[in-house]
Amino acid sequence: MNELPHARISAAIEAANQARRVGLVPFITAGYPQKDRFIDTLDALSAVAEVIEIGVPFSDPMADGVTIQRSSHAAIEAGVSLHWIIDQLTAARRAGKTFAPLILMSYLNPLFIYGFRQLAQDAADAGVCGFIVPDLPLEEGAEFRDALAHAGLGQVQLITPTTTDERMAELCQASKGFVYAVTVTGITGGGTVIPPEVTGYLDRVSAVAEIPVCAGFGIREAAQVESIGRHADGVIVGSALVEHLEAGHDPAAFLQGLRPA
Amino acid sequence: MQIELTDKQADELLGQLVAGELPDARGRFGPFGGCYAPETLMPALARLAAGVDEHLHAPAFQAELGAELQDWVGRPTALTHARGLSQRWGADVWLKREDLAHTGAHKINNALGQALLARRLGAGRVIAETGAGQHGVATAAACARAGMPCIVYMGAVDVERQRPNVDRMLQLGAEVAPVTSGDATLRAAIDEAFRDWVADPEGSYYLLGSAVGPHPYPYLVRELQAVIGREARAQMQELAGGPADAAFACVGGGSNAIGLFHPLLGDRDTQLIGVEAGGCGAGLGENSATLVTGTPGILHGSLSLLLQDVNGQVQETHSVSAGLDYAGVGPEHALLKTIGRVTYESATDADALAALRECCEAEGILPALETAHAFADARRWAHDNPGKRILIGLSGRGDKDMPTLSKLMHAGEAPGRAA
């Protein structure tokens, strides 16, 4: 049990694959739609999910669609911050709770203001395994990656259909936990149709990556999960899940419904 | 947190700026700048950077740009001796007249240059954002001239307060997309324009309107706006008899100011003063004085100074002028502040309105509300430093501000008559 936190992410997805299941990676905006349900929601999702992605709200979520923009602004209004998230997770851990491996998804500025070294330590203490930072490209990320590495955490790198082969190799090499393959060029929550060239693209990423590949952006139906699951090790479900939470539905039931029968 | 430099580091960085060595290959202006963009845009930004390197200073592009600047924009713009203000202020005041450029502001220098670049790079459509609407109008005009379709994102609040510019953009054939997300001003418009580009990075060209954003934009925009400072420097020598003791420009994102200041950075005897929007107060959310009160942070692709709270959330801003109403600022300004080469001040809404009125009365020129902030601080400085030669970047004309000014007139604050 001495494995590094970021290795827990890979191990969880690999275990699902060995059981012939696609890894499910739900995304929620922390403390949304109800701040006091944050830990309960993580609990419920942990029963179904391999890994959970927790969105840190930011005032200018420029790579996100309307759903995540809405949830981010509402969470900020409700007083959700990176410090609050870390405090909640730390308290839950001290109370003996365990969750599926957790990843924080945040734009760079809140991390920068927190301080990279301090954040890596506090996040590790809170049971966080890794980070996704959509506006931190490989070229600018050395300092953050170093800080994470000291605490055994990793940064999940994103690959998009516009990424060149050369760049893809570098990104796969640098990525920890899994490789996040964006399946629709563009912002999250854009539509339900999976372009036919996507499967070829996912196969291309999988051929290069030595850790699991998870596909994300715009996934909302079991049929999509099934077809993408043939070409990726896991799928990320974001906007659709947030919409279900907004409607007051049970997030775990929705997630379970996405698993191919 | 603050970023501090030793005097030696500051001197070295100023030397590099003057020598044209910044930004460096990584898009850095010392500790500021960089390229903090989503992975989707990285290939497009790399292509743009390569295109800028290949074309921007190439003779063919410079010839095309130079001819258009002269025949279509109307450059060089005049340097006007402000006789009335000189007398009132006890100074020798000169105005660099970007208000006389085609479409009425400095924005056209950048919009034209980038539209020509977009065409050379083979883009099928142009995306732009706008605050006051001046960049939107300039982009609409430049794209019409270059034969390219364009869409302009504009905050719904700005659409309301800059209606004449919206109609001008439509007349010029642009599509205008009001943005209701976020604060519904320039910041939200930039977010939305980026989203559009993220969705179509290969077919689109993002024509960014200020010296902000990920590398290479702060560099590209500065290079295209530096024509202001180059012309002004030569004109001061020729018409005013020597360099200015102090030069003033308003700063929102900072493109007109960097255009005026950059060519003057090596003239150590010229004080450079950037003037931000002090809005209606010093509290967070009451102004847009990023350089005066901001702290280091990352927004819209670069590390610069930012108005933000303790959690790194970007704060809403206020200014009577839409063009200065922005929580960020270009990274070169952040460096110039940190090394002390440029002093940054702020002027309140009321100061700016009074200065606008004075310029109308004394010079027969209606400046933009943005520009009026520079006049307000120049007046203050002239009072403290009598008998000096002053250069003011008159970045744009105030016709677009008539809805705002009309409202104030009818509310009893008649700009036509001094109290």
Side-chain angles (χ1 to χ4, degrees):
Chain A
M1 287 303 287
N2 281 332
E3 63 184 354
L4 290 172
H6 68 71
R8 285 187 57 210
I9 302 169
S10 315
I13 295 166
E14 282 159 3
N17 293 165
Q18 272 157 20
R20 300 192 168 276
R21 283 185 287 122
V22 61
L24 280 181
V25 184
F27 168 94
I28 59 163
T29 298
Y32 181 81
Q34 279 176 276
K35 205 175 163 189
D36 57 7
R37 298 275 303 154
F38 177 48
I39 296 298
D40 291 344
T41 303
L42 292 181
D43 249 341
L45 289 173
S46 292
V48 186
E50 270 62 48
V51 174
I52 300 172
E53 200 185 317
I54 300 171
V56 178
F58 182 50
S59 51
D60 292 70
M62 75 179 183
D64 283 297
V66 288
T67 303
I68 310 295
Q69 289 175 47
R70 184 170 65 236
S71 61
S72 279
H73 286 118
I76 292 169
E77 286 291 307
V80 174
S81 67
L82 183 52
H83 281 277
W84 180 85
I85 294 166
I86 298 275
D87 287 349
Q88 294 290 307
L89 295 177
T90 306
R93 196 182 199 201
R94 291 208 179 116
K97 279 193 184 294
T98 55
F99 305 114
L102 303 177
I103 298 179
L104 294 185
M105 184 284 197
S106 177
Y107 287 84
L108 183 57
N109 199 50
L111 312 181
F112 177 74
I113 296 303
Y114 196 110
F116 292 161
R117 280 297 168 113
Q118 187 67 48
L119 174 61
Q121 196 53 59
D122 292 354
D125 291 346
V128 171
C129 299
F131 281 83
I132 298 173
V133 191
D135 58 344
L136 181 61
L138 197 60
E139 291 82 349
E140 301 284 2
E143 192 186 341
F144 184 62
R145 285 197 298 276
D146 285 352
L148 291 187
H150 270 273
L153 307 188
Q155 187 188 346
V156 172
Q157 300 288 344
L158 288 97
I159 286 176
T160 78
T162 62
T163 305
T164 60
D165 286 348
E166 189 186 358
R167 210 174 152 76
M168 188 185 292
E170 289 174 42
L171 287 164
C172 286
Q173 192 65 40
S175 197
K176 304 285 183 205
F178 60 84
V179 173
Y180 192 144
V182 178
T183 49
V184 181
T185 300
I187 55 176
T188 58
T192 60
V193 180
I194 300 168
E197 67 273 16
V198 163
T199 52
Y201 152 70
L202 290 175
D203 291 343
R204 206 155 58 86
V205 182
S206 296
V208 177
E210 290 171 8
I211 54 176
V213 174
C214 295
F217 284 28
I219 291 166
R220 49 182 64 234
E221 292 168 2
Q224 293 173 314
V225 173
E226 187 173 10
S227 57
I228 287 193
R230 291 194 209 105
H231 303 270
D233 305 304
V235 297
I236 292 145
V237 185
S239 299
L241 178 61
V242 171
E243 284 162 21
H244 271 262
L245 282 163
E246 280 177 332
H249 298 159
D250 176 1
F254 170 67
L255 205 58
Q256 191 67 55
L258 291 179
R259 285 228 188 266
Chain B
M1 112 172 223
Q2 293 295 339
I3 291 177
E4 285 171 10
L5 299 168
T6 64
D7 289 351
K8 184 163 173 289
Q9 287 172 319
D11 275 352
E12 280 174 10
L13 285 165
L14 178 57
Q16 289 171 15
L17 265 177
V18 172
E21 293 165 5
L22 297 182
D24 63 18
R26 291 181 56 226
R28 292 270 164 180
F29 297 86
F32 300 104
C35 187
Y36 297 92
E39 177 60 26
T40 315
L41 293 182
M42 291 303 283
L45 286 165
R47 278 198 302 277
L48 177 60
V52 168
D53 282 348
E54 183 185 348
H55 296 295
L56 186 60
H57 293 290
F61 184 78
Q62 282 294 319
E64 182 184 22
L65 177 61
E68 287 291 82
L69 284 174
Q70 178 183 298
D71 303 335
W72 186 71
V73 174
R75 302 207 73 89
T77 57
L79 182 76
T80 300
H81 189 214
R83 287 194 286 266
L85 290 176
S86 295
Q87 199 173 11
R88 287 173 182 228
W89 296 358
D92 187 21
V93 183
W94 295 81
L95 309 176
K96 179 57 178 164
R97 301 288 305 280
E98 293 304 297
D99 60 317
L100 296 178
H102 179 45
T103 67
H106 71 288
K107 291 289 185 188
I108 196 70
N109 305 324
N110 171 53
L112 172 68
Q114 288 201 55
L116 295 178
L117 184 64
R119 196 170 62 181
R120 257 176 211 259
L121 296 178
R125 69 194 269 272
V126 166
I127 302 162
E129 84 298 330
T130 195
Q134 288 303 107
H135 174 58
V137 169
T139 301
C143 286
R145 178 76 174 174
M148 304 195 63
C150 81
I151 178 167
V152 180
Y153 291 93
M154 186 171 188
V157 169
D158 293 334
V159 167
E160 180 58 34
R161 60 182 167 181
Q162 307 287 346
R163 191 70 224 181
N165 272 345
V166 174
D167 291 340
R168 287 169 78 197
M169 285 183 255
L170 296 172
Q171 282 293 321
L172 289 162
E175 182 185 341
V176 178
V179 178
T180 54
S181 61
D183 62 359
T185 67
L186 178 60
R187 200 175 103 217
I190 295 178
D191 287 341
E192 208 58 39
F194 266 114
R195 286 189 192 105
D196 185 329
W197 200 27
V198 165
D200 180 25
E202 307 217 4
S204 305
Y205 181 97
Y206 180 21
L207 205 164
L208 191 51
S210 193
V212 300
H215 180 69
Y217 284 107
Y219 165 70
L220 173 60
V221 176
R222 177 194 81 198
E223 291 295 292
L224 291 170
Q225 293 292 4
V227 65
I228 303 171
R230 281 197 307 271
E231 286 178 8
R233 192 167 184 270
Q235 289 167 320
M236 286 299 289
Q237 205 63 45
E238 185 188 339
L239 302 173
D245 295 308
F248 294 81
C250 63
V251 182
S255 72
N256 99 83
I258 208 67
L260 181 66
F261 292 164
H262 188 80
L264 304 179
L265 290 177
D267 300 341
R268 308 286 177 108
D269 293 333
T270 301
Q271 280 193 51
L272 303 175
I273 298 158
V275 188
E276 298 190 299
C280 57
L284 206 52
E286 293 179 339
N287 60 67
S288 313
T290 310
L291 289 152
V292 174
T293 63
T295 52
I298 295 131
L299 177 69
H300 295 147
S302 63
L303 171 56
S304 184
L305 294 172
L306 200 54
L307 292 172
Q308 59 185 329
D309 70 8
V310 292
N311 292 309
Q313 305 297 351
V314 183
Q315 293 303 288
E316 297 198 0
T317 52
H318 167 79
S319 171
V320 69
S321 63
L324 302 186
D325 202 349
Y326 181 53
V329 70
E332 189 166 347
H333 284 294
L335 177 62
L336 289 170
K337 181 196 177 179
T338 305
I339 66 177
R341 178 62 185 96
V342 179
T343 307
Y344 294 90
E345 306 282 354
S346 65
T348 64
D349 289 351
D351 293 341
L353 285 163
L356 178 142
R357 182 166 35 189
E358 186 179 35
C359 185
C360 288
E361 282 181 0
E363 301 299 339
I365 297 170
L366 171 62
L369 274 170
E370 290 77 12
T371 312
H373 288 73
F375 279 81
D377 198 62
R379 178 193 182 153
R380 175 200 62 77
W381 191 87
H383 184 264
D384 296 341
N385 301 273
K388 299 290 189 187
R389 189 183 287 142
I390 292 175
L391 169 64
I392 302 175
L394 209 175
S395 55
R397 70 174 83 126
D399 305 36
K400 68 176 176 63
D401 294 312
M402 282 317 299
T404 302
L405 297 173
S406 297
K407 255 186 219 164
L408 291 170
M409 282 164 77
H410 297 306
E413 286 188 37
R417 186 180 295 276

